[in-house]
Amino acid sequence: MTIQLPDFQGGFRAYEPRTEPFEVKTGTPFTSRTVFSAAHVVADPFADTTPDAPAAVDWDATLAFRRHLWSHGLGVAEAMDTAQRGMGLDWAGAAELIRRSAAEARSVGGLIACGVGTDQLTGPATLAEVRAAYEEQLALVEESGAQAILMASRALAAAATGPEDYLEIYGHLLRQATEPVVLHWLGPMFDPALEGYWGSSDLDAATDTFLEVIAAHPDKVDGIKVSLLEARREIDIRRRLPQGVRCYTGDDFNYPELIAGDEQGFSHALLGIFDPLGPLAAEAVRVLDTGDVPGFRALLDPTVELSRHLFQTPTRFYKTGVVFLAWLAGHQSHFTMVGGLQSARSLPHFARAYELADGLGLFPDPKLAEERMKNLLAMYGVTQ
């Protein structure tokens, strides 16, 4: 049996869905890499809300998805870009998400780190106000018992006049942090408002400032997450880190090679693409734990085409594809997103995402995924 999928030229192609999913295996905790999946939030589809209203979250389904990730040995990077921070989820919603997820992590013994930003600021802010906003969020994350991830701040990017402002703000926060944090460099492809972060649009100059922050406080930096989609730059930064500071790749285009590493080192992982790839990614890391790099690459390399499709320009809308695949996989009962972001990608984009994910065996119930894909096609007026 085949399904007719719309292509990017206005026509259709016949696709024969897979009948068996990827074989999910259970295993021991990872030993060679620390791996986080940034996780999406599940909207409440019955809430009477609008795209510009506060997010209505289905907490039961949202927390169930995090238990799914933990069950495969993955850590959860909470309240990050993947959870639609600044694109549907405001600070009040993010704070509640952090509290609930951190409590859930404690109950199941799951690894969790949470995003600290400045998104309670709604307009132009001074550097003092940016610092205070960061401090408020850092306190909440630390009180929850989670590790802190200092996220890139739109407000800081707007208020800073040069590298010295970043050095002052981040230096203050690192001195204040009670436990080592993860520093997050999110490129403008994920958020255009972050252009010129670290005080310069010249990435070499920005990299020098970033590394200067870390070098001044190596005992307070557990690691860095680099989301610039440039493998060579990440490798360069990785090689210049102080001893003991980890690099968590956030490169959703080149993650297999960066995690596998080379003779001079490797990256750990904190990736949005591991939201849909969870069980497969976990199996690949366990293979890597045995020292079998070719086996690891054989499992993970074929996933790159799907990741590059989901993260294609405009990259910030990758969350739509992530939630779409979660719906097809049966992790939620609907395809609705906070902020109405389910409208951010086209039908041909969804069709290709389905085809690539199904080909990898990502759907625990391929028949359910096929039926849901057909339902979406029918909603667009496509009959089978």
Side-chain angles (χ1 to χ4, degrees), residues 152-350:
S153 162
R154 294 174 180 173
L156 179 54
T161 58
E164 63 282 354
D165 290 333
Y166 290 88
L167 293 171
E168 194 282 325
I169 292 289
Y170 277 92
H172 174 85
L173 294 170
L174 290 172
R175 287 190 295 273
Q176 183 172 311
T178 58
E179 299 291 339
V181 308
V182 176
L183 295 182
H184 186 193
W185 185 357
L186 192 69
M189 68 289 293
F190 288 93
D191 187 341
L194 298 177
E195 178 66 41
Y197 212 73
W198 303 110
S200 178
S201 294
D202 180 314
L203 287 180
D204 290 336
T207 296
D208 288 342
T209 302
F210 183 48
L211 290 170
E212 186 176 346
V213 169
I214 299 163
H217 308 277
D219 59 321
K220 287 296 187 74
V221 181
D222 164 68
I224 62 168
K225 169 178 160 59
V226 183
S227 298
L228 299 176
L229 304 183
E230 289 187 20
R232 179 45 53 189
R233 183 167 297 278
E234 178 174 323
I235 292 170
D236 173 65
I237 293 173
R238 187 173 75 194
R239 291 175 178 172
R240 296 169 64 187
L241 291 174
Q243 185 71 28
V245 176
R246 293 186 266 197
C247 181
Y248 294 92
T249 186
D251 188 332
D252 299 278
F253 283 5
N254 304 291
Y255 50 93
E257 64 181 273
L258 292 165
I259 297 170
D262 55 31
E263 67 282 354
Q264 297 185 52
F266 57 82
S267 294
H268 299 270
L270 198 165
L271 288 161
I273 190 57
F274 280 7
D275 181 302
L277 291 184
L280 193 159
E283 176 63 17
V285 175
R286 289 192 176 94
V287 169
L288 184 60
D289 286 345
T290 70
D292 183 1
V293 175
F296 165 80
R297 296 294 298 267
L299 281 170
L300 213 55
D301 282 358
T303 69
V304 171
E305 185 177 6
L306 170 64
S307 189
R308 289 184 173 231
H309 175 71
L310 296 183
F311 285 78
Q312 68 183 228
T313 304
T315 302
R316 64 188 181 278
F317 294 126
Y318 77 88
K319 300 100 166 170
T320 299
V322 165
V323 175
F324 170 66
L325 294 181
W327 172 56
L328 294 186
H331 294 299
Q332 54 195 78
S333 61
H334 58 87
F335 179 36
T336 305
M337 298 177 66
V338 299
L341 209 64
Q342 67 272 12
S343 65
R345 292 294 198 188
S346 68
L347 184 60
H349 180 91
F350 292 136

Side-chain angles (χ1 to χ4, degrees), residues 6 8 345-352 373 376-377 380 382:
F8 293 96
R345 292 294 198 188
S346 68
L347 184 60
H349 180 91
F350 292 136
R352 183 59 177 157
M373 186 68 227
L376 183 70
L377 291 168
Y380 278 80
V382 179

